[in-house]
Amino acid sequence: MHIMEGFLPHPWWEIWYIISIVIVSYGIYRISKVTKEIPEAKPLLALMGAFIFVLSALKLPSVTGSCSHPTGSGLSAVIFGPAITSVLSMIVLLFQALLLAHGGLTTLGANTFSMGIIGPLVAYGIWIISKKVQLQSSAGVFFAVAFGDLFTYVTTSAQLALVFPTEAGFFDSFLKFSAIFAITQIPLAIGEGILAIFLFDFLAKYKGQLLAMMKVINLPITIHNQRRKNNEN
Amino acid sequence: MKTKHIVLIVVMLALFITPLIISPSAEFGGTDSAIEELISDQGYEPWFKPIWEPPSSEIESLLFAVQSAIGAVIIGYFIGFEKGKRAK
């Protein structure tokens, strides 16, 4: 669930817009660079956009007795990094703001920041660490995506708490917002993590070389060459 | 499909069916409306209204369904295409 239209007063909505536009611009540059270097990555880009599209349309029930939806941006962050993901997220958020009155145009910057930048940044960070410690890829994807999802809503809570602190201050307000947003999100984040494993396993099996070329996974060179030979035969 | 994947599907289903079973009387409203209420209680008035709103919840659910359908078509096409290529 995103920050609703009109719920961020001046100067907050401008601040988030400025930050997001900088990152999104860099993301657009990254997209043109990556697709020029590795043209085969283009369908993958569409796939990641589609994944965000599906997941952010699914309102799911949670143990708190309310509904929220996953973000889908974590898997894209694992594969393309946070900058490119911010572009994809902004497109989806724009669609929802214009056609669904979900989120909003004035809050587009703030929502892009939480769902397209901080969430993906957390996901990407966890993925990098999981590779360093040589965690199994399924586990790495799961933790990256689940925490990316969760931190999107932690960020949203913080953004709202900055604007609407209670009398006890920012932190008290932050706890109130995250009690609604983040707690509801926990089972959804787990679900999103699981779903991401499916798509990632498929990609690793069928697009392993491409992922290795994009430095998402490390394929031992021998296997790399063997696969190529098999393909040629 | 590996055993791992079957187990994961079951876990995922359980994750989203359990809430419906353990709290049958809950409203399952959106968290955004809960937040909206919390902020409105502080006396805040949103300064900007959505420029267009789906006229009914039916139309809204239609648009959400269209959104996920568009995404699902692309994902399905990609998976089918790659599997078909490998099968040749």
Side-chain angles (χ1 to χ4, degrees), chain B residues 8-44:
Chain B
L8 288 176
I9 288 178
V10 173
V11 171
M12 196 158 60
L13 287 178
L15 214 53
F16 298 118
I17 294 172
T18 312
L20 300 174
I21 296 171
I22 59 166
S23 37
S25 56
E27 281 178 20
F28 289 105
T31 45
D32 50 356
S33 29
I35 294 278
E36 208 172 327
E37 229 166 78
L38 195 71
I39 295 173
S40 301
D41 284 349
Q42 292 188 18
Y44 180 80

Side-chain angles (χ1 to χ4, degrees), chain A residues 1 5-8 13 50 53-54 56 61-62 65-67 96 99-101 138 164 177 187 198 201 205-207, chain B residues 4-5 9 15-16 19 28-32 35-36 44 46-48 52-53 63 67-68 71-72 82-83 86:
Chain A
M1 301 286 145
E5 185 74 285
F7 272 78
L8 286 181
W13 69 272
F53 232 59
V54 174
S56 60
S62 175
S66 50
C67 284
Q96 292 193 325
L99 293 177
L100 296 160
S138 294
F164 305 104
F177 286 125
F198 284 96
D201 281 357
K205 189 173 168 195
Y206 285 86
K207 290 264 138 194
Chain B
K4 177 182 91 178
H5 290 151
I9 288 178
L15 214 53
F16 298 118
F28 289 105
T31 45
D32 50 356
I35 294 278
E36 208 172 327
Y44 180 80
W47 63 276
F48 197 83
W52 185 78
E53 271 183 80
L63 289 167
Q67 187 191 330
S68 56
E82 292 300 332
K83 282 213 164 185
R86 178 73 59 97

Side-chain angles (χ1 to χ4, degrees), chain A residues 131-153:
Chain A
K131 273 204 295 187
K132 280 249 164 67
V133 300
Q134 297 186 322
L135 206 64
Q136 213 207 344
S137 70
S138 294
V141 167
F142 173 79
F143 287 121
V145 170
F147 280 100
D149 180 317
L150 195 60
F151 268 82
T152 296
Y153 288 88

Side-chain angles (χ1 to χ4, degrees), chain A residues 202-214:
Chain A
F202 178 85
L203 289 175
K205 189 173 168 195
Y206 285 86
K207 290 264 138 194
Q209 286 183 41
L210 178 61
L211 291 188
M213 223 192 310
M214 293 165 67

Side-chain angles (χ1 to χ4, degrees), chain A residues 25-209:
Chain A
S25 312
Y26 176 66
I28 292 171
Y29 161 77
R30 286 274 308 148
I31 287 178
S32 69
K33 196 165 170 249
V34 169
T35 52
K36 210 173 273 169
E37 281 170 6
I38 311 170
E40 301 94 313
K42 270 184 208 166
L44 213 52
L45 197 63
L47 184 72
M48 289 304 113
F51 190 68
I52 300 176
F53 232 59
V54 174
L55 285 202
S56 60
L58 297 179
K59 297 188 179 181
L60 296 164
S62 175
V63 281
T64 51
S66 50
C67 284
S68 185
H69 64 78
T71 64
S73 54
L75 185 62
S76 169
V78 164
I79 289 172
F80 282 104
I84 289 179
T85 304
S86 74
V87 183
L88 300 177
S89 302
M90 196 176 220
I91 294 169
V92 177
L93 286 166
L94 188 64
F95 175 90
Q96 292 193 325
L98 287 175
L99 293 177
L100 296 160
H102 189 63
L105 292 177
T106 60
T107 53
L108 184 64
N111 290 330
T112 303
F113 183 76
S114 60
M115 172 179 152
I117 298 172
I118 296 299
L121 212 56
V122 169
Y124 186 68
I126 292 176
W127 174 246
I128 296 294
I129 294 168
S130 80
K131 273 204 295 187
K132 280 249 164 67
V133 300
Q134 297 186 322
L135 206 64
Q136 213 207 344
S137 70
S138 294
V141 167
F142 173 79
F143 287 121
V145 170
F147 280 100
D149 180 317
L150 195 60
F151 268 82
T152 296
Y153 288 88
V154 172
T155 309
T156 306
S157 306
Q159 285 173 321
L160 285 171
L162 280 170
V163 185
F164 305 104
T166 56
E167 278 161 22
F170 163 80
F171 200 69
D172 181 59
S173 170
F174 172 68
L175 287 182
K176 263 190 195 147
F177 286 125
S178 29
I180 298 174
F181 268 145
I183 307 290
T184 302
Q185 202 64 25
I186 292 172
L188 273 67
I190 296 171
E192 181 175 347
I194 293 175
L195 210 54
I197 295 177
F198 284 96
L199 198 50
F200 187 87
D201 281 357
F202 178 85
L203 289 175
K205 189 173 168 195
Y206 285 86
K207 290 264 138 194
Q209 286 183 41

